[in-house]
């Protein structure tokens, strides 16, 4: 195959940086079918370095909830840019957006800003340790790379480490305990083993089984309350998607603290850590500070995004179009008997691959599926999202492309392609 611009960018990136990307999950895994570099996006579509168009369900791994180059957000950024990006004192928009967030997030009485969800969770964990005088932390799901500290915990989304993560001292690893989603007996066992030593429980939902949160979240809330433990919800993915206020709004269970990031500003880099006033005021003693926490372009984008969520029923659209994606895609998978399905809640469903003879075949099926999807102009990820710019006609066209991709897989046989 003649090298194309996308492949050339992949080679250059791999030569100059580990993994070939600053974000591991963005490094092309299915080259040459997967684009090596995306150069622009509009609405729900992206174009690679060779000009090939894709209907996009990756959405930058989740932050793009409204669509690429969404007019209201872009205009807010342009207007603020004229007046300055970052200053030596707070800008009024820092207060305004914090107030907006405290209106829409159930547990939020005060708020502060950082740039990534992982660092905001680290801030919450540090505060929980100070507030309780305890050291141990229970973690469910992936809470960002700098919080991936426990043995056999999530080191990446969906990837469990077999032992202590590389570069983590054993003494620190022993203070962090991985717990499975919706496994109250395992959590209780950790509480029993470290009686009166658990500072915090941090929960990121299992996307394929998120509905279990209807009973799991209230049970964890009661368990942490009985034990004087700070409950922290990782709403990095679920916030502004399952509901504006995330799973705590959807399931009606308020944690002590929470972190929101992806979806907060339609792709601009920003995160917020919020919580009860009693806890948040401990940040007078627990020092968390960042030069760019109050950077105004991201805050302007967040203000515009939140107004759009509130005024245009964005979340309702994500549910409606997500249900259509899940229903019609699963119908195609069943029609072609591929052993693939989408599971979980409609705004953020996850692909599940069910090859019959074990992991090797499952991996091959996954490889074949994503490669075929890219060849037919569909950009999927393990967790695939719709955004506010996915209109009915886009979903129709995407399903036509998926039909062609599934037909190709079925005609060639999963063992024979990829």
């Amino acid at each position: 195959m003649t090298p194309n611009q996308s492949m050339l960018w992949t080679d250059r990136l791999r030569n100059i940086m580990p993994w070939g990307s600053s974000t591991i999950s963005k490094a092309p895994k299915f080259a040459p079918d997967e684009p090596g570099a995306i150069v622009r996006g509009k609405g729900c579509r992206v174009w690679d370095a060779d000009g090939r168009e894709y209907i996009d369900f990756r959405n930058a791994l989740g932050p793009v909830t409204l669509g690429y180059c969404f007019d209201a957000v872009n205009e807010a950024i342009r207007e603020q840019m004229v007046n300055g990006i970052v200053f030596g004192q707070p800008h009024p928009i820092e207060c305004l957006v914090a107030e907006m967030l405290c209106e829409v997030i159930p547990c939020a009485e005060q708020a502060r800003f950082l740039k990534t969800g992982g660092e905001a969770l680290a801030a919450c964990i540090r505060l929980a340790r100070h507030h309780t005088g305890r050291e141990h932390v229970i973690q469910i799901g992936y809470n960002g790379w700098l919080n991936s500290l426990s043995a056999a915990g999530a080191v990446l989304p969906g990837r469990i480490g077999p032992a202590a993560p590389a570069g983590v001292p054993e003494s620190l690893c022993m203070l962090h305990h991985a717990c499975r989603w919706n496994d109250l007996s395992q959590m209780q066992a950790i509480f029993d083993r470290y009686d009166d030593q658990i500072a915090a429980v941090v929960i990121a939902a299992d996307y394929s089984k998120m509905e279990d949160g209807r009973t799991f979240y209230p049970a964890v809330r009661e368990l942490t309350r009985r034990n004087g433990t700070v409950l922290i919800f990782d709403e990095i993915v679920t916030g502004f998607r399952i509901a504006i206020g995330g799973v705590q709004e959807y399931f009606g269970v308020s944690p002590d603290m929470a972190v929101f990031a992806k979806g907060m500003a339609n792709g601009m880099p920003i995160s917020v850590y919020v919580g009860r006033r009693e806890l948040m005021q401990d940040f007078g003693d627990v020092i968390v500070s960042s030069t760019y926490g109050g950077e105004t372009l991201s805050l302007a984008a967040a203000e515009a995004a939140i107004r759009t969520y509130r005024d245009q029923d964005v979340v309702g659209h994500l549910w409606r179009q997500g249900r259509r994606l899940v229903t019609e895609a699963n119908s195609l998978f069943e029609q072609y008997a591929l052993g693939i399905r989408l599971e979980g809640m409609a705004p953020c469903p996850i692909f599940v691959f069910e090859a019959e003879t074990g992991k090797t075949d499952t991996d091959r099926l996954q490889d074949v599926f994503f490669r075929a999807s890219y060849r037919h102009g569909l950009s999927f990820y393990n967790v695939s999202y719709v955004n506010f710019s996915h209109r009915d006609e886009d979903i129709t066209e995407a399903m036509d492309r998926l039909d062609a991709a599934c037909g190709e897989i079925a005609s060639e046989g999963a063992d024979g392609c990829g």
Side-chain angles (χ1 to χ4, degrees):
M1 177 181 291
T2 302
N4 54 30
Q5 289 299 311
S6 210
M7 291 172 62
L8 291 173
W9 278 116
T10 295
D11 292 341
R12 288 179 64 177
L13 284 161
R14 287 174 176 168
N15 180 61
I16 201 64
M17 62 176 60
W19 287 93
S21 172
S22 298
T23 307
I24 288 175
S25 299
K26 294 183 182 181
K29 184 178 179 181
F30 305 106
D33 302 295
E34 180 178 355
I38 295 296
V39 298
R40 70 184 180 96
K42 179 64 177 174
C44 65
R45 297 173 190 247
V46 295
W47 288 262
D48 70 10
D50 296 289
R52 292 177 295 191
E53 179 216 68
Y54 304 84
I55 300 176
D56 182 56
F57 295 93
R58 293 172 74 94
N59 290 299
L61 307 184
V64 179
T65 49
L66 298 176
Y68 296 95
C69 296
F70 192 78
D71 288 344
V73 174
N74 282 9
E75 183 59 31
I77 294 169
R78 282 191 291 266
E79 288 181 4
Q80 180 57 48
M81 189 180 297
V82 174
N83 293 314
I85 298 171
V86 67
F87 304 97
Q89 285 82 29
H91 187 282
I93 198 171
E94 189 172 352
C95 178
L96 175 61
V97 176
E99 289 172 343
M100 292 177 73
L101 289 164
C102 288
E103 290 175 1
V104 299
I105 299 172
C107 78
E109 295 177 352
Q110 289 191 315
R112 293 183 89 201
F113 299 105
L114 286 165
K115 283 299 171 197
T116 70
E119 64 177 329
L121 284 166
C124 292
I125 292 170
R126 179 178 289 195
L127 182 136
R129 283 175 163 148
H130 167 77
H131 186 80
T132 62
R134 304 170 181 178
E135 296 185 347
H136 290 261
V137 176
I138 297 174
Q139 295 185 258
I140 299 171
Y142 177 67
N143 307 130
W145 73 269
L146 78 166
N147 303 307
S148 298
L149 303 175
S150 64
V155 295
L156 282 172
R159 185 185 301 182
I160 303 301
V168 178
E170 183 179 358
S171 57
L172 181 56
C173 181
M174 292 175 64
L175 296 176
H176 289 255
H177 311 281
C179 183
R180 291 179 295 274
W181 168 259
N182 199 30
D183 193 334
L184 283 170
S185 61
Q186 183 187 25
M187 183 178 294
Q188 184 64 64
I190 298 172
F191 269 98
D192 291 343
R193 182 176 180 182
Y194 300 98
D195 185 36
D196 293 329
Q197 298 181 60
I198 306 297
V201 172
V202 185
I203 307 179
D206 183 318
Y207 307 127
S208 66
K209 299 178 176 61
M210 200 182 302
E211 187 57 44
D212 292 339
R214 199 167 299 281
T215 55
F216 184 53
Y217 283 120
V220 176
R221 174 68 283 182
E222 178 57 28
L223 180 59
T224 54
R225 187 177 285 117
R226 285 201 313 268
N227 286 275
T229 297
V230 176
L231 178 58
I232 304 167
F233 281 6
D234 177 340
E235 299 261 30
I236 293 168
V237 169
T238 52
F240 307 105
R241 190 170 287 280
I242 300 301
I244 293 178
V247 293
Q248 58 189 275
E249 176 186 340
Y250 185 82
F251 290 116
V253 178
S254 287
D256 299 303
M257 303 184 74
V259 167
F260 290 68
K262 294 183 181 184
M264 183 174 162
N266 199 46
M268 288 294 282
I270 190 169
S271 62
V272 65
Y273 50 113
V274 303
R276 294 189 289 109
R277 183 179 298 271
E278 172 196 358
L279 285 168
M280 294 294 290
Q281 290 187 339
D282 278 3
F283 281 113
D285 298 316
V286 177
I287 302 304
V288 176
S289 186
S290 172
T291 299
Y292 297 105
E295 176 264 310
T296 63
L297 301 188
S298 295
L299 286 164
E303 180 186 7
I306 295 166
R307 290 190 189 281
T308 303
Y309 295 138
R310 297 172 86 176
D311 296 344
Q312 299 189 39
D313 190 26
V314 171
V315 171
H317 177 92
L318 300 182
W319 275 94
R320 287 189 296 274
Q321 297 295 56
R323 287 191 187 101
R324 187 177 169 201
L325 170 67
V326 170
T327 300
E328 296 188 18
N330 282 342
S331 179
L332 287 171
F333 297 147
E334 291 175 11
Q335 175 185 334
Y336 287 100
L338 294 182
I340 305 170
R341 69 179 186 277
L342 281 168
E343 289 188 350
M345 290 190 173
C348 50
I350 187 168
F351 279 102
V352 175
F353 299 88
E354 296 185 315
E356 295 181 357
T357 56
K359 186 176 186 300
T360 300
D361 286 347
T362 299
D363 289 345
R364 183 181 295 115
L365 177 59
Q366 180 175 336
D367 184 276
V368 168
F369 171 73
F370 284 117
R371 288 183 184 278
S373 296
Y374 283 120
R375 288 196 296 271
H376 288 272
L378 293 170
S379 181
F380 287 124
Y381 186 54
N382 293 331
V383 180
S384 289
Y385 313 89
V386 295
N387 67 47
F388 191 50
S389 295
H390 280 98
R391 303 286 110 181
D392 288 341
E393 56 270 26
D394 299 308
I395 301 297
T396 297
E397 184 178 352
M399 292 303 98
D400 288 342
R401 295 185 185 191
L402 183 59
D403 191 358
C406 290
E408 178 184 299
I409 296 169
S411 64
E412 296 186 19
D415 291 339
C417 45

